[in-house]
Amino acid sequence: MLRLETTVTRWGGFRLKADVSIAAGERVALLGASGSGKSSLLALIAGFQHPDEGRILIDGQDMTMTPVADRPLSILFQDGNLFPHLSVFDNVALGLRPDLRLDPADRARVEGALDKVGLAGMGARAPSALSGGQQSRVALARMLLRDRPLALLDEPFAALDPGLRAEMLGLVAALCDDTGLTLIMASHDLRDAERLCDRLILLAEGQVVLDDRLDVALRQAPEPLKPWM
Ligand SMILES: Nc1ncnc2c1ncn2[C@@H]1O[C@H](COP(=O)(O)OP(=O)(O)OP(=O)(O)O)[C@@H](O)[C@H]1O
């Protein structure tokens, strides 16, 4: 579903190199120290940045220079996912109709998505009237409606307490099970990765230093992973 064909990207002294294939339905955790290149790699896949060398293929199509909006993916960041001046309902509805022109069937789908993430009846509220966990759920409901086959998550729940974080990761896992979503999640936390992902890519200084099934990596505990265990 996704192939980074020897992409090389340079920013000043930093060089990010990736040669990675991800199959449909895989759930990949991108782990690495601060500054190792996790967000940069996601930005490359999303199309916010373009590589200096190599190609990015999605479903066999060369999308190296394709604009963000034309790539078949949705993105969830740690914050800044919601528009503060729009209601919760409208924030979710944007996933379906960016112009917010909704017919009754669309409105029912938005209500359905809110229901699915446990926010039924909260559509009229402003995002500021929700807790951090609830705000994450709104962003997740929008992702659900966007219905794109590839989801990029950049430490989306890092600001939440451990209980809520586990709950949100469980919700995303259920969503993946339901829809066969392919997922790539940047994280600092191997335990978070374990809750959701089946594959682990470890980055260090812009290079992939480990790429394996998560359960195998946890069992074998190779040297580069030891500090994370
Ligand atoms: N557009 C850019 N312009 C200049 N430098 C950039 C740009 N994008 C990324 N970098 C550099 O790339 C390096 C990797 O940063 P990146 O944010 O990808 O790391 P990270 O692993 O996501 O870190 P963190 O866990 O702190 O979010 C940093 O040195 C950063 O300054």
Side-chain angles (χ1 to χ4, degrees):
M1 111 89 44
L2 173 69
R3 167 126 187 79
L4 295 170
E5 212 175 66
T6 332
T7 58
V8 177
T9 320
R10 296 180 194 87
W11 294 281
F14 185 78
R15 180 176 182 273
L16 176 69
K17 180 169 180 231
D19 194 2
V20 171
S21 292
I22 293 172
E26 272 194 298
R27 305 178 195 176
V28 181
L30 266 186
L31 197 71
S34 207
S36 59
K38 303 180 297 295
S39 300
S40 305
L41 193 61
L42 291 181
L44 211 60
I45 298 167
F48 294 116
Q49 313 259 12
H50 299 298
D52 297 309
E53 294 170 29
R55 297 195 305 162
I56 297 171
L57 305 170
I58 304 182
D59 284 334
Q61 249 190 297
D62 187 340
M63 295 214 162
T64 314
M65 302 308 279
T66 303
V68 182
D70 297 334
R71 299 189 185 203
L73 47 85
S74 50
I75 305 163
L76 206 61
F77 295 117
Q78 182 175 332
D79 40 38
N81 290 301
L82 304 182
F83 292 97
H85 60 288
L86 294 179
S87 68
V88 163
F89 184 96
D90 284 351
N91 264 288
V92 174
L94 282 176
L96 198 58
R97 305 260 174 256
D99 61 3
L100 290 177
R101 293 182 175 190
L102 307 175
D103 64 23
D106 294 334
R107 301 191 70 82
R109 286 187 65 195
V110 175
E111 296 290 1
L114 282 170
D115 194 24
K116 204 157 190 169
V117 300
L119 291 179
M122 295 200 191
R125 291 199 194 179
S128 58
L130 299 181
S131 70
Q134 289 169 329
Q135 291 181 20
S136 297
R137 285 164 185 266
V138 177
L140 199 60
R142 183 170 60 210
M143 197 173 95
L144 222 144
L145 281 188
R146 263 178 75 77
D147 200 22
R148 302 284 171 100
L150 176 62
L152 307 179
L153 279 59
D154 197 351
E155 303 193 56
F157 313 126
L160 304 180
D161 68 58
L164 261 179
R165 219 162 68 216
E167 200 182 302
M168 292 305 301
L169 290 165
L171 253 176
V172 179
L175 171 65
C176 291
D177 288 341
D178 268 9
T179 60
L181 194 65
T182 308
L183 178 136
I184 308 173
M185 177 177 77
S187 177
H188 278 116
D189 190 323
L190 193 53
R191 300 283 90 78
D192 282 2
E194 246 185 303
R195 288 182 195 279
L196 181 59
C197 301
D198 48 28
R199 177 173 166 189
L200 176 71
I201 293 180
L202 181 62
L203 287 175
E205 295 172 11
Q207 302 258 14
V208 175
V209 291
L210 176 71
D211 181 356
D212 209 340
R213 285 184 52 94
L214 185 56
D215 55 349
V216 173
L218 287 171
R219 210 168 43 242
Q220 297 180 341
E223 205 51 46
L225 193 60
K226 285 202 171 126
W228 300 91
M229 302 199 66

